[in-house]
Amino acid sequence: MDPKAILGLGSKLLDIDEERFRQVVGLLEQIGDHPEVQKTFSLIRPRLAEVRPKRRPTFKRLFCEPFEDLFEVPNGNQPAPLNRIDRAVVNSLWPLVETTIGKDRLRGVTGALRDGAARAEPAAAFWAMSAGAVADILAQLELGRYVDELGLRVNPDRLRTIQDIAQILAIAPAVDEMKAVLAPKPVQKLHKDHLDGVQAAGRSVARGRPETLKLFILLAAARLSDPSILLGGLWDMDFGQKASERAALFLELSGTVVARIEERSRGGAAATPGGTTDRMAAADLAVDLMASLEATRSAMEYSRNKEFDQRLKAVRESVHDMVRTQVLDGADGEILTAVATLTNDGGTDTGKMVMAENQARALRKCSTIADTLGLRGELKSVTQKATASLTDTARQVLVDGNGDARTGYTAIRMIELISGPAEANQVMDQILRTGRR
């Protein structure tokens, strides 16, 4: 297939099988660093993150390696990094870095593009060159050069991103060491070897470039399933700092973590209540936010900061309202209406049924946080009402013969999604015993 013809396939590339997808990625890389190729890669980035095909090594990819964990997450299943880097900034910055370093110097570190331990020395040399190049570009920005090339007039915040990139590249070998410890990503739970590895790499950062230590820790947090879980271990890490410096760093990072929890909470609260809400997404977010809250609150016991306590309390209240309005309100009606469509016309509204199944799963998922949110009574009332109505529907169809049998089995299926297989099996056993009389 002509590689350039692939560019016209657009979103269809998200649906092809995994083997063909890997072949397509290889063909796209043959075209080179073309704007349309970059556009296509942006489109398929969620699939790239899922499949993770082996990519052709390039200096641009190596340039990004130390800070790649700070790129915006391509889907909503994970928390965004605590200190995000926009890919568009890198796409504008890299050509300037490449020109500043020069082709002759790049040829001297081509060994960095190989696999294995032999790449360590040339990779470190390349990152040092890149850090120097970005520092030179920042100096030129102060003189008014490269402002348009980097889009700083349109988005001045890009300057902060470029400064962060320069600092991260300056500690790239330590970051590389830390990434090897916190692998594979995302790490679900921190063990002693994780903490010891982060501490060892962090001490080398604190000795050589103490001003970059916060960025180093944010990079470590970005490799975790929930950045909040790093706070608990952070208090006990010894980076060779004074006690006052460690406390100040912990306080600063705590503020960053709390701010990101608040941001995610506001995003969930902004969703539209009612039938258009993705109720399962709301439940997933609520459970994730409560896990982050508990991990952060536990870590905050060291600092005993009343301001953070109030902010976390506000987030809890926001999650409470989100679960009540986006998961509980109208739950039983949505589920029963979807099942009733089978009874009334024998047809299947696939979209409505998917929404109902999501609603049922969302109810069950939120049962794990209902007590903490003070919603145990409301959740119990909704689930009992829904389960009772579904049981009646199943009996009417499977025992009395009023309707299509699949409606009865669908009702049982919904009970299983809401209350678990034990409850569904009990209802089914009662129906079978009744039918044999």
Side-chain angles (χ1 to χ4, degrees), residues 336-384:
L336 295 172
T337 298
V339 175
T341 60
L342 298 176
T343 303
N344 293 337
D345 57 21
T348 302
D349 185 333
T350 304
K352 188 175 289 187
M353 190 58 65
V354 169
M355 289 178 65
E357 289 183 354
N358 274 345
Q359 173 66 86
R361 290 188 179 95
L363 286 173
R364 187 161 190 214
K365 183 147 197 171
C366 285
S367 66
T368 61
I369 56 173
D371 282 354
T372 308
L373 290 174
L375 288 170
R376 182 180 181 182
E378 288 186 50
L379 178 67
K380 184 177 180 180
S381 175
V382 170
T383 54
Q384 284 183 340

Side-chain angles (χ1 to χ4, degrees), residues 393-412:
T393 298
R395 283 174 178 161
Q396 288 174 18
V397 175
L398 300 176
V399 176
D400 301 335
N402 297 328
D404 191 331
R406 64 182 180 145
T407 300
Y409 293 121
T410 300
I412 299 293

Side-chain angles (χ1 to χ4, degrees), residues 123 213 226 236 349 436:
L213 187 56
D226 181 352
D236 295 322
D349 185 333
R436 285 195 292 266

Side-chain angles (χ1 to χ4, degrees), residues 45 64-65 67-74 80-81 83-88 90 165 185:
R45 203 164 299 285
C64 297
E65 202 171 289
F67 53 83
E68 64 184 354
D69 289 326
L70 298 186
F71 284 140
E72 187 69 75
V73 180
N83 197 64
R84 288 168 282 195
I85 286 180
D86 186 350
R87 292 178 187 273
V90 178
I165 289 173
K185 176 188 174 183

Side-chain angles (χ1 to χ4, degrees), residues 178 182 198 215-224 230:
M178 175 271 293
L182 296 179
V198 172
L215 270 173
F216 172 82
I217 294 171
L218 291 176
L219 283 162
R223 296 192 65 78
L224 308 180
L230 184 61

Side-chain angles (χ1 to χ4, degrees), residues 22-87:
R22 293 178 185 276
Q23 293 173 352
V24 164
V25 171
L27 289 171
L28 285 172
E29 291 189 326
Q30 290 179 23
I31 304 176
D33 200 12
H34 187 278
E36 285 300 317
V37 173
Q38 296 304 316
K39 183 178 178 181
T40 302
F41 272 125
S42 296
L43 180 67
I44 65 174
R45 203 164 299 285
R47 189 84 189 274
L48 285 171
E50 177 188 346
V51 177
R52 295 187 179 277
K54 187 172 179 60
R55 306 286 300 277
R56 177 173 59 87
T58 64
F59 279 120
K60 182 181 179 183
R61 194 159 291 124
L62 184 62
F63 175 75
C64 297
E65 202 171 289
F67 53 83
E68 64 184 354
D69 289 326
L70 298 186
F71 284 140
E72 187 69 75
V73 180
N75 55 57
N77 297 331
Q78 302 173 35
L82 295 174
N83 197 64
R84 288 168 282 195
I85 286 180
D86 186 350
R87 292 178 187 273

Side-chain angles (χ1 to χ4, degrees), residues 84-247:
R84 288 168 282 195
I85 286 180
D86 186 350
R87 292 178 187 273
V89 176
V90 178
N91 290 337
S92 300
L93 178 62
W94 169 246
L96 301 177
V97 172
E98 189 176 28
T99 301
T100 302
I101 294 175
K103 292 182 179 179
D104 289 341
R105 294 178 69 199
L106 285 175
R107 275 195 290 269
V109 290
T110 52
L113 301 180
R114 300 177 189 139
D115 292 329
R119 85 154 203 162
E121 187 174 338
F126 167 78
W127 287 323
M129 291 178 191
S130 298
V134 177
D136 288 345
I137 291 167
L138 285 169
Q140 292 296 315
L141 284 172
E142 293 180 5
L143 300 176
R145 297 188 61 196
Y146 301 139
V147 172
D148 291 329
E149 290 90 332
L150 294 169
L152 296 182
R153 296 188 200 279
V154 178
N155 187 356
D157 189 53
R158 286 185 167 194
L159 179 60
R160 188 275 308 166
T161 298
I162 296 169
Q163 291 168 338
D164 286 352
I165 289 173
Q167 288 193 320
I168 293 169
L169 287 168
I171 58 169
V175 173
D176 199 42
E177 181 183 337
M178 175 271 293
K179 289 174 69 174
V181 171
L182 296 179
K185 176 188 174 183
V187 175
Q188 302 289 331
K189 185 178 180 181
L190 287 174
H191 300 286
K192 187 176 184 302
D193 57 333
H194 293 137
L195 296 171
D196 289 347
V198 172
Q199 176 177 278
R203 285 178 73 93
S204 69
V205 170
R207 283 195 302 269
R209 292 182 177 270
E211 73 280 4
T212 66
L213 187 56
K214 180 186 175 183
L215 270 173
F216 172 82
I217 294 171
L218 291 176
L219 283 162
R223 296 192 65 78
L224 308 180
S225 60
D226 181 352
S228 306
I229 64 178
L230 184 61
L231 280 179
L234 186 61
W235 185 262
D236 295 322
M237 288 187 191
D238 180 8
F239 295 121
Q241 302 168 289
K242 297 177 182 177
S244 59
E245 292 173 337
R246 183 178 68 170

